[in-house]
Amino acid sequence: MIRVGIVGASGLAGGELIRLVLQHPDLELTYLGGNSSAGKRPAQLHPGLRLDLGLTVEAVDADVLAERCDVVFLATPAPVSAELAGLLADRVNVIDLSGAFRIRTPELHEKWYPKAARSTELADRFVYGVPELIGEQLVGAPLISVPGCYATAITLGLAPLTLGLGLNLKTVVVDGKSGSSGGGLQLRTADLHPLRNGAIAPYAPVGHRHAAEVSDFLERGKPGTVGSLTMSAYGVSHVRGLMASAYVFTDDPVSERDLQRAYLRFYKGSRFVRVRRNNETLIPVPDPQAVLGSNYCDVTVLHDADGGRIVVLAALDNLVKGAAGQALQALNLRYSLPEETGLTMQPVMPA
Amino acid sequence: MIRVGIVGASGLAGGELIRLVLQHPDLELTYLGGNSSAGKRPAQLHPGLRLDLGLTVEAVDADVLAERCDVVFLATPAPVSAELAGLLADRVNVIDLSGAFRIRTPELHEKWYPKAARSTELADRFVYGVPELIGEQLVGAPLISVPGCYATAITLGLAPLTLGLGLNLKTVVVDGKSGSSGGGLQLRTADLHPLRNGAIAPYAPVGHRHAAEVSDFLERGKPGTVGSLTMSAYGVSHVRGLMASAYVFTDDPVSERDLQRAYLRFYKGSRFVRVRRNNETLIPVPDPQAVLGSNYCDVTVLHDADGGRIVVLAALDNLVKGAAGQALQALNLRYSLPEETGLTMQPVMPA
Amino acid sequence: MIRVGIVGASGLAGGELIRLVLQHPDLELTYLGGNSSAGKRPAQLHPGLRLDLGLTVEAVDADVLAERCDVVFLATPAPVSAELAGLLADRVNVIDLSGAFRIRTPELHEKWYPKAARSTELADRFVYGVPELIGEQLVGAPLISVPGCYATAITLGLAPLTLGLGLNLKTVVVDGKSGSSGGGLQLRTADLHPLRNGAIAPYAPVGHRHAAEVSDFLERGKPGTVGSLTMSAYGVSHVRGLMASAYVFTDDPVSERDLQRAYLRFYKGSRFVRVRRNNETLIPVPDPQAVLGSNYCDVTVLHDADGGRIVVLAALDNLVKGAAGQALQALNLRYSLPEETGLTMQPVMPA
Amino acid sequence: MIRVGIVGASGLAGGELIRLVLQHPDLELTYLGGNSSAGKRPAQLHPGLRLDLGLTVEAVDADVLAERCDVVFLATPAPVSAELAGLLADRVNVIDLSGAFRIRTPELHEKWYPKAARSTELADRFVYGVPELIGEQLVGAPLISVPGCYATAITLGLAPLTLGLGLNLKTVVVDGKSGSSGGGLQLRTADLHPLRNGAIAPYAPVGHRHAAEVSDFLERGKPGTVGSLTMSAYGVSHVRGLMASAYVFTDDPVSERDLQRAYLRFYKGSRFVRVRRNNETLIPVPDPQAVLGSNYCDVTVLHDADGGRIVVLAALDNLVKGAAGQALQALNLRYSLPEETGLTMQPVMPA
């Protein structure tokens, strides 16, 4: 059994990690850390969790973590992760779910995460990327940075165009729609139910940092290129799940059939990315509903012949494939376990 | 008192017309028409309406309509409107809320509304357009075609760029998000609550006909031009209200300050279009929540300096400013009543 | 014009009062008070409100209030209302929306509102009660205490049994279901959208103070009596509107037909209470949906012959008939205006 | 591997059965039946399900079922189940999720399920009951009738009072609140999202047949008795999960402490029933949110000393513990597998 610690146990990603670790046959939960929630039992913080876990949240202590765990998940804000990773990096495997180590280019990192100071040397030791795209790099990796929820959807959506078809994407306009769980449990008036329910909240109409994360990743010496990539993000009226819509303009000729084939080929054999046609089921897909609670990312590509553009839609559960599930997927690959170990749960739909 | 008839009384736009006509001081409701709902009382079809209306829905009869009404609102599907308008055009004022007379160019109309056959001569007699942009044309107009809900939001959002600043908009990417009331009350499995709640449903990822409507309108000999305009539309998890996001690329130089000023100037004195800053209130705006039940359209413009684009957001209540409210606004202008007569209700928020 | 001040302008009841005062033809809004929100414009606090109100929230000052207003609405917590009412009582008309003056019996008041100390003498000067039941007492009343949202629904639901039919109600079990707006905008983790959406939250399974309020009121020398009255209250997954279900056991013989007639008779001529049959429309009623944004209270009575009980259902909009609308209705009666002045808006449905 | 067939594959309970069977290590899905959906692949009907199931829905054929399956789940309407059970009873194990065999008393059955004719002899061969209460009877049982969702919550909630403490319950008033998935996917206007969202729909204010089911079961020679048991049921604005509130009046003396102890003792060792205190976590419990997607039933008991009553709250996921999960739990017991096999998934919360 791999001994697992989770820091940031009171947050939504922390709670989801607990849920998934409990469902994983090769993991043993040995530590829960959180300063504000120290002393609480998990089910007090996450009311769904089984009551008999026999663990209590502890104030964070790097020595204890290093001693009691083989792997530590950091479900903490980026500044906290940056600091903790420095303390833990040489003593235990670390899988960070924050933005602290996602952007490699130092200037870009400082621009988007000014409060998460880190050494370049430490940052360079982290392996970053969606497992489907950089899987082999994860094997044995001691330090892993898990991509952001939107970044995951966008890169999985665009990769068959750039990496698969080698297209040059002149302009990519991303429109992101997510549920309220994306904002965590901070106390903000705008996130109270009366104001958040029924909303279409343009919370980041320009300048979402996941766009920078995606550009930074896609730039790293790959076939196919991305020119301008912009993003606007909205909170809509549900809790869990997001959709990233990428409207892609390219001068390279491509047909609907090419696209469809390229996507199917690119994700052939993938356990978690499902290429779906928009009208293949009784609701239009992709829809985050259809992946709720699971580690799937559903992707649909369409050619808008009239508009001269490609429409790529990617939907995932921001707490699973966009956070805790992807973190476990990375752990599986790091330990050379079958990629889907503990992640075979089917979507809970309707919910 | 102006005598008003409403055909299509059982639908959501029909119900909203009844609500607003009841709140209008110069209108008298004299006829409710609907073939499938004939014999029903209004409150049976629209459970909120006052119980003592003293009217019953009647099977549609053009003769009776012409005799009993000064103005007839058609809240019917486009094919029904196309037919009824032909019967009523020379006998009574008609305000059509369907798509039957929105697109002027015959070929475009046939492409997008193949089932709504109409004579070009009749179509040319209809005045079309958002009142804010074509107000004077409505005075005395006997035949009025009310723009679509999305078309209203998009044209109100873009007009200050094209008509106000005279910009050439090279590429406009529209992403539309709407609640379930946009789909009416047809019995479709995908619209049942268990499947529609929590959804982000990409129901028109390409080929939404409101995009054609907007292009057709914006082409009519105006300063400033629109190159490619594409649209994708999504159903999200609330009932009433929509947001149109327009991502605009232009080669013309423009600054955030220019934009802000241009929008304020363009809608100065407007009763229903409110130019708002994204962060001016305790929730991000525009948000359809903040216009619910009212005839407002809230518009926000931002300059995405990094991305070289303009972001325009427009939110409205699809049943009011996107349908029944705008129809009454047109009626007010047609009869030279103050534009806001009967339309001063404030948004119901939170709801 | 009657000059109106509102204290507690930043809360949900305060915002709703502003909305309704703006729609009332005989009222002029002259003062907005709130200590935490002083300096803000109304639309910053309530994003739907028209932008051009020309008023700014001021720190609360009784002298200014007395000078600038004919009537002051207190939309403040009970302890604040208790204190302010003391300062204002002899200088200006006061309509209090809190619980500070609802319960007449001193011991009961102290039990349920321990932080809202008040003199018995002042409390006795307040007129309390649902306008439909105590209307004539409101004429000219300088001090008015508006009933709680649930108390309104329950007393309107039960009054035809006790006051109309003179029944002795042995046991009344009330089950209340309300949306999240009932909890206001206090920052509580449990009220954040991710945790509140989809909830059935048993927040007051025993000991809701509106039950005490109802008992206290019904006891005041009326025909018919109420034995045990208990209540449990739940937050369910919408924002606005509540339903009170009263399950009534009586030894007095009564038939379904008696009940139906008694309710219709009791509310004959009422502008705001609608007696409805459960299946009279395309959705089951009463349903708070069907009164949203309006001052209606919908009531349905059924006889459960098998179970030997009477089922009474009452639905209302907790911010309108349960707060701000009822306060304006009381004002209308106090000034001998037609009861429905400014309150004729129809429900916004669907929303 | 136990070979499993599911009839009624297109419904919500059918879809949930597929989900859970796929997650069960000892089951092999060998047959999907459904007349209206014959020819469809599972993911077309249930968009979340994995795409590579390799099964297609077939028109229902009892011979094929008997040949290809060891156990057949009937997720069909009661009349269909009644008929199919007759054809299958002697050839294969049957687990019926409908109401066809729940009520034993023939007169009661005919009253509540007039369209589900069955022979008394066949009915008597079915084992009925919540596994926690009749577990041993399920071992080896060839014919099993799974209790209704509300009936499960109510009997689990009341059993510690009657079976545990031996109380005589004079009057039990049940108030049920459920999400829209309880109504399935039938096309009804009232269940369209615009009308169902935001609703508190009193769809069964009197005469819910699960009340009859509970009474019928509790009457079968048990210590403690139930006098009058009445029920009213409401649809509220979420999709999955229900709460049954039982307001219990008894003349037997009992204290809060007795109650708490009795419930803990009664469900000690239970894998799926969790006895919880109302305020033990950051949201009030029980709440169906906290069991979503899982087989848990959360139960809370309170003593309302002022009101002289006991308040029992029970929350479960109507598609899992209220249907498919409980059916698999019964199967586990029938085959003497550990009760929780395939049912250890943790709740998906928030969702």
Side-chain angles (χ1 to χ4, degrees):
Chain A
M1 296 293 273
I2 302 165
R3 299 170 307 151
V4 167
I6 297 170
V7 183
S10 67
L12 293 183
E16 195 72 0
L17 278 166
I18 301 174
R19 172 174 88 93
L20 296 182
V21 166
L22 293 177
Q23 296 180 178
H24 193 294
D26 302 311
L27 302 183
E28 183 189 3
L29 188 58
T30 56
Y31 184 95
L32 290 174
N35 288 331
S36 64
S37 56
K40 302 269 188 188
R41 284 171 293 103
Q44 289 181 281
L45 303 167
H46 304 288
L49 290 175
R50 47 189 291 191
L51 306 182
D52 56 352
L53 268 180
L55 274 178
T56 300
V57 180
E58 304 173 45
V60 182
D61 182 322
D63 292 337
V64 178
L65 270 163
E67 186 185 309
R68 232 190 290 154
C69 307
D70 299 311
V71 187
V72 173
F73 290 101
L74 301 179
T76 39
V80 178
S81 283
E83 192 188 334
L84 275 175
L87 298 174
L88 296 168
D90 296 313
R91 308 167 70 184
V92 66
N93 293 295
V94 174
I95 300 180
D96 179 35
L97 283 80
S98 84
F101 299 97
R102 288 178 188 156
I103 296 181
R104 187 152 305 172
T105 316
E107 302 72 42
L108 266 182
H109 174 77
E110 278 154 39
K111 176 176 177 186
W112 293 104
Y113 293 93
K115 296 183 183 165
R118 63 182 202 195
S119 74
T120 302
E121 184 243 332
L122 180 61
D124 286 346
R125 291 168 60 193
F126 269 85
V127 172
Y128 166 86
V130 179
E132 278 76 7
L133 304 182
I134 55 117
E136 65 292 343
Q137 298 177 36
L138 291 166
V139 180
L143 303 178
I144 294 171
S145 169
V146 181
C149 50
Y150 269 125
T152 299
I154 299 166
T155 50
L156 285 172
L158 296 180
L161 298 180
T162 55
L163 305 183
L165 286 166
L167 298 184
N168 295 308
L169 312 182
K170 215 167 50 174
T171 305
V172 179
V173 176
V174 176
D175 186 286
K177 302 151 191 79
S178 62
S180 59
S181 65
L185 294 182
Q186 273 79 46
L187 288 172
R188 283 181 295 253
T189 302
D191 289 337
L192 290 170
H193 189 271
L195 297 180
R196 187 62 180 68
N197 202 49
I200 303 181
Y203 73 92
V206 300
H208 195 292
R209 53 195 187 186
H210 285 191
E213 182 183 334
V214 170
S215 296
D216 187 59
F217 174 72
L218 291 174
E219 288 304 303
R220 297 180 200 164
K222 298 293 181 187
T225 60
V226 175
S228 142
L229 186 152
T230 53
M231 178 171 176
S232 300
Y234 304 80
V236 291
S237 187
H238 67 291
V239 173
R240 187 186 274 248
L242 64 80
M243 167 104 78
S245 308
Y247 306 115
V248 177
F249 295 85
T250 176
D251 289 334
D252 299 340
V254 72
S255 72
E256 172 101 24
R257 200 171 162 224
D258 294 341
L259 290 169
Q260 192 64 27
R261 284 187 174 185
Y263 274 71
L264 286 169
R265 195 183 328 118
F266 195 85
Y267 289 118
K268 196 180 168 184
S270 169
R271 304 292 307 209
F272 297 119
V273 181
R274 305 192 292 196
V275 179
R276 312 192 69 167
R277 289 189 175 274
N278 181 235
N279 59 357
E280 74 179 34
T281 166
L282 81 171
I283 59 166
V285 288
D287 183 331
Q289 272 198 93
V291 299
L292 193 139
S294 82
N295 202 47
Y296 289 131
C297 176
D298 281 1
V299 176
T300 294
V301 62
L302 298 113
H303 191 232
D304 184 357
D306 282 354
R309 60 175 185 157
I310 300 165
V311 174
V312 180
L313 309 175
L316 52 76
D317 182 324
N318 53 302
L319 295 176
V320 189
K321 183 61 176 164
Q326 182 143 277
L328 284 203
Q329 186 184 352
L331 175 145
N332 287 339
L333 293 169
R334 187 245 166 276
Y335 282 99
S336 300
L337 297 168
E339 189 174 6
E340 69 276 19
T341 312
L343 294 171
T344 54
M345 62 280 184
Q346 291 291 291
V348 176
M349 183 191 170
Chain B
M1 296 293 273
I2 302 164
R3 298 171 306 151
V4 167
I6 297 169
V7 183
S10 67
L12 293 184
E16 195 71 0
L17 278 166
I18 301 174
R19 172 172 88 93
L20 296 182
V21 166
L22 292 177
Q23 297 180 175
H24 193 293
D26 301 312
L27 303 183
E28 184 188 4
L29 188 59
T30 56
Y31 184 95
L32 290 174
N35 288 331
S36 65
S37 55
K40 301 269 187 188
R41 284 172 293 104
Q44 289 181 280
L45 302 167
H46 305 289
L49 289 175
R50 46 189 291 190
L51 306 182
D52 57 351
L53 268 180
L55 275 177
T56 300
V57 180
E58 303 174 43
V60 182
D61 181 323
D63 292 337
V64 177
L65 269 164
E67 186 184 309
R68 232 191 290 155
C69 307
D70 299 310
V71 188
V72 174
F73 289 100
L74 300 179
T76 37
V80 179
S81 283
E83 192 188 335
L84 275 175
L87 298 173
L88 296 168
D90 296 313
R91 309 166 70 185
V92 65
N93 293 295
V94 174
I95 300 180
D96 179 34
L97 283 79
S98 84
F101 299 97
R102 288 178 188 156
I103 297 180
R104 189 152 301 172
T105 315
E107 302 73 40
L108 265 181
H109 174 77
E110 277 154 40
K111 176 175 177 187
W112 293 104
Y113 294 93
K115 297 184 182 165
R118 62 181 203 196
S119 75
T120 302
E121 184 244 332
L122 181 60
D124 287 347
R125 291 168 59 194
F126 270 85
V127 173
Y128 166 86
V130 179
E132 278 76 7
L133 304 182
I134 56 116
E136 66 291 344
Q137 297 177 37
L138 291 166
V139 180
L143 303 178
I144 294 171
S145 169
V146 181
C149 50
Y150 269 126
T152 298
I154 300 166
T155 51
L156 286 172
L158 296 180
L161 298 180
T162 55
L163 305 183
L165 286 166
L167 299 183
N168 294 309
L169 312 182
K170 216 169 47 175
T171 304
V172 179
V173 176
V174 177
D175 185 285
K177 302 151 191 80
S178 63
S180 60
S181 65
L185 295 181
Q186 273 78 48
L187 289 171
R188 283 181 296 252
T189 303
D191 289 337
L192 290 170
H193 189 271
L195 297 180
R196 187 62 180 69
N197 202 49
I200 303 180
Y203 73 92
V206 301
H208 195 291
R209 53 195 185 185
H210 284 191
E213 182 183 333
V214 170
S215 296
D216 187 58
F217 174 72
L218 291 174
E219 287 304 303
R220 297 182 200 162
K222 297 293 180 187
T225 60
V226 175
S228 142
L229 188 152
T230 53
M231 179 171 174
S232 300
Y234 304 80
V236 290
S237 185
H238 68 290
V239 173
R240 186 186 275 249
L242 64 79
M243 167 104 77
S245 307
Y247 306 115
V248 178
F249 294 84
T250 176
D251 289 335
D252 299 339
V254 72
S255 72
E256 172 100 25
R257 202 173 159 220
D258 294 342
L259 291 169
Q260 192 64 26
R261 283 186 175 187
Y263 274 71
L264 286 170
R265 194 182 329 117
F266 196 85
Y267 288 118
K268 195 180 169 185
S270 168
R271 305 291 307 208
F272 298 120
V273 181
R274 304 193 293 195
V275 178
R276 311 192 69 168
R277 290 189 174 275
N278 181 236
N279 59 357
E280 75 180 35
T281 166
L282 80 173
I283 59 166
V285 289
D287 183 330
Q289 273 197 91
V291 299
L292 193 140
S294 82
N295 202 47
Y296 290 130
C297 176
D298 281 0
V299 175
T300 294
V301 63
L302 298 115
H303 191 233
D304 185 356
D306 282 354
R309 61 175 184 158
I310 300 165
V311 174
V312 180
L313 308 175
L316 53 76
D317 182 324
N318 53 303
L319 295 175
V320 189
K321 183 61 176 163
Q326 182 143 277
L328 283 204
Q329 185 183 354
L331 175 144
N332 286 340
L333 293 168
R334 187 246 168 275
Y335 282 100
S336 301
L337 297 169
E339 190 175 5
E340 70 274 22
T341 311
L343 294 171
T344 53
M345 62 279 184
Q346 291 291 292
V348 177
M349 180 189 172
Chain C
M1 298 291 275
I2 302 164
R3 298 170 306 151
V4 167
I6 297 169
V7 183
S10 67
L12 293 183
E16 196 71 0
L17 278 166
I18 301 174
R19 172 173 90 92
L20 296 182
V21 166
L22 292 178
Q23 297 180 174
H24 193 293
D26 301 312
L27 303 182
E28 183 189 5
L29 187 59
T30 56
Y31 183 95
L32 290 175
N35 288 331
S36 65
S37 56
K40 301 268 188 189
R41 284 171 293 106
Q44 289 181 281
L45 303 166
H46 304 289
L49 289 176
R50 47 189 290 193
L51 306 182
D52 57 351
L53 269 179
L55 275 178
T56 300
V57 179
E58 303 172 45
V60 182
D61 181 323
D63 292 337
V64 177
L65 270 163
E67 186 185 310
R68 235 192 285 157
C69 307
D70 298 310
V71 187
V72 174
F73 290 101
L74 301 179
T76 38
V80 177
S81 283
E83 192 188 333
L84 275 174
L87 299 173
L88 296 168
D90 296 313
R91 308 167 70 185
V92 67
N93 293 295
V94 174
I95 300 181
D96 179 32
L97 284 79
S98 84
F101 300 96
R102 288 178 187 156
I103 297 180
R104 187 153 303 173
T105 316
E107 303 72 40
L108 264 182
H109 173 77
E110 278 155 38
K111 175 174 178 188
W112 293 104
Y113 293 93
K115 296 185 182 164
R118 61 180 204 197
S119 74
T120 302
E121 184 244 333
L122 181 60
D124 286 347
R125 291 167 60 193
F126 270 84
V127 173
Y128 166 87
V130 178
E132 279 76 8
L133 304 181
I134 55 117
E136 65 292 344
Q137 298 177 37
L138 292 166
V139 180
L143 303 178
I144 295 171
S145 169
V146 181
C149 50
Y150 270 125
T152 299
I154 299 166
T155 50
L156 286 173
L158 296 179
L161 299 180
T162 56
L163 305 183
L165 286 166
L167 299 183
N168 294 310
L169 312 183
K170 215 169 47 174
T171 304
V172 179
V173 176
V174 176
D175 185 286
K177 301 151 191 82
S178 63
S180 59
S181 65
L185 294 182
Q186 273 78 47
L187 288 172
R188 283 181 295 252
T189 302
D191 289 338
L192 290 170
H193 188 271
L195 296 179
R196 186 64 180 67
N197 202 50
I200 303 180
Y203 74 91
V206 302
H208 195 291
R209 54 195 185 185
H210 285 190
E213 182 184 333
V214 170
S215 297
D216 186 58
F217 174 72
L218 292 173
E219 288 304 302
R220 297 182 201 161
K222 298 293 180 187
T225 61
V226 175
S228 143
L229 186 150
T230 53
M231 178 171 176
S232 300
Y234 304 80
V236 291
S237 187
H238 67 291
V239 172
R240 188 185 273 250
L242 64 79
M243 167 103 79
S245 308
Y247 307 115
V248 178
F249 296 84
T250 176
D251 289 335
D252 298 340
V254 71
S255 73
E256 171 102 23
R257 201 170 159 224
D258 294 342
L259 290 170
Q260 192 64 27
R261 283 186 175 187
Y263 274 69
L264 285 170
R265 194 182 330 116
F266 195 85
Y267 288 118
K268 193 176 170 190
S270 168
R271 304 290 308 208
F272 298 119
V273 182
R274 305 192 293 196
V275 178
R276 312 191 69 167
R277 289 189 175 275
N278 181 235
N279 59 357
E280 75 180 32
T281 166
L282 79 173
I283 58 167
V285 289
D287 183 329
Q289 272 198 93
V291 299
L292 193 140
S294 82
N295 201 47
Y296 290 130
C297 176
D298 281 0
V299 176
T300 293
V301 63
L302 298 115
H303 191 233
D304 184 358
D306 282 354
R309 62 176 183 158
I310 300 166
V311 175
V312 181
L313 309 176
L316 52 77
D317 182 325
N318 53 304
L319 295 176
V320 188
K321 184 60 175 163
Q326 183 143 278
L328 284 203
Q329 186 184 352
L331 175 145
N332 287 340
L333 293 168
R334 186 243 168 276
Y335 282 100
S336 301
L337 297 169
E339 189 175 6
E340 70 276 20
T341 313
L343 294 170
T344 53
M345 63 280 182
Q346 291 291 292
V348 176
M349 182 191 173
Chain D
M1 297 291 275
I2 302 164
R3 297 170 308 151
V4 168
I6 298 168
V7 183
S10 68
L12 293 184
E16 196 71 0
L17 279 166
I18 301 175
R19 172 173 89 94
L20 296 182
V21 166
L22 292 178
Q23 297 180 175
H24 193 293
D26 301 312
L27 303 182
E28 183 188 4
L29 188 59
T30 56
Y31 184 96
L32 291 175
N35 288 332
S36 65
S37 56
K40 301 269 187 189
R41 285 172 292 106
Q44 289 182 280
L45 303 166
H46 305 289
L49 290 175
R50 46 189 291 191
L51 307 182
D52 56 351
L53 270 180
L55 275 176
T56 300
V57 180
E58 303 173 44
V60 182
D61 181 323
D63 292 337
V64 177
L65 270 164
E67 186 186 310
R68 233 191 288 156
C69 307
D70 299 310
V71 187
V72 173
F73 290 101
L74 300 179
T76 38
V80 178
S81 283
E83 192 188 335
L84 275 175
L87 298 174
L88 295 168
D90 297 313
R91 308 167 71 184
V92 65
N93 294 296
V94 174
I95 300 180
D96 179 34
L97 283 78
S98 84
F101 299 97
R102 288 178 188 157
I103 297 179
R104 186 152 303 173
T105 317
E107 302 73 40
L108 265 182
H109 173 77
E110 277 155 39
K111 175 174 178 188
W112 293 104
Y113 293 92
K115 296 185 182 165
R118 62 180 203 196
S119 75
T120 301
E121 183 244 334
L122 181 60
D124 287 346
R125 292 168 59 196
F126 270 84
V127 172
Y128 166 85
V130 178
E132 279 76 8
L133 305 181
I134 56 115
E136 64 292 345
Q137 298 177 37
L138 291 166
V139 181
L143 303 177
I144 295 170
S145 170
V146 181
C149 51
Y150 270 126
T152 299
I154 301 166
T155 49
L156 286 173
L158 296 180
L161 298 180
T162 55
L163 306 184
L165 286 166
L167 299 183
N168 294 309
L169 312 183
K170 214 169 50 174
T171 305
V172 179
V173 176
V174 176
D175 185 284
K177 302 150 191 82
S178 63
S180 60
S181 65
L185 295 181
Q186 274 78 47
L187 288 171
R188 283 181 294 253
T189 303
D191 289 337
L192 290 171
H193 189 271
L195 297 179
R196 186 64 179 69
N197 202 50
I200 303 181
Y203 73 91
V206 302
H208 195 293
R209 54 195 186 185
H210 285 190
E213 182 183 333
V214 170
S215 297
D216 187 58
F217 174 73
L218 292 174
E219 289 303 303
R220 297 182 201 161
K222 298 293 182 187
T225 59
V226 175
S228 143
L229 186 151
T230 53
M231 178 171 175
S232 300
Y234 304 81
V236 290
S237 186
H238 67 290
V239 173
R240 187 187 274 250
L242 65 78
M243 167 103 78
S245 308
Y247 307 115
V248 178
F249 295 85
T250 177
D251 289 334
D252 298 340
V254 72
S255 72
E256 171 100 24
R257 201 170 160 223
D258 293 342
L259 290 169
Q260 192 64 25
R261 283 187 176 186
Y263 274 70
L264 285 170
R265 193 182 329 115
F266 194 85
Y267 288 119
K268 194 177 170 188
S270 168
R271 303 290 309 206
F272 297 121
V273 182
R274 304 191 294 195
V275 179
R276 310 191 70 167
R277 289 190 175 274
N278 182 235
N279 59 358
E280 74 180 33
T281 166
L282 81 172
I283 58 167
V285 289
D287 183 330
Q289 272 198 93
V291 300
L292 193 140
S294 82
N295 202 48
Y296 290 130
C297 176
D298 281 1
V299 176
T300 294
V301 64
L302 299 114
H303 190 234
D304 184 357
D306 282 355
R309 62 177 182 155
I310 300 166
V311 174
V312 180
L313 309 176
L316 53 76
D317 182 325
N318 54 302
L319 295 176
V320 188
K321 183 61 176 164
Q326 183 144 276
L328 284 204
Q329 186 184 353
L331 175 145
N332 286 339
L333 294 168
R334 186 244 168 277
Y335 282 101
S336 301
L337 297 169
E339 190 174 8
E340 70 274 21
T341 312
L343 294 171
T344 54
M345 62 281 182
Q346 291 292 291
V348 177
M349 181 191 172

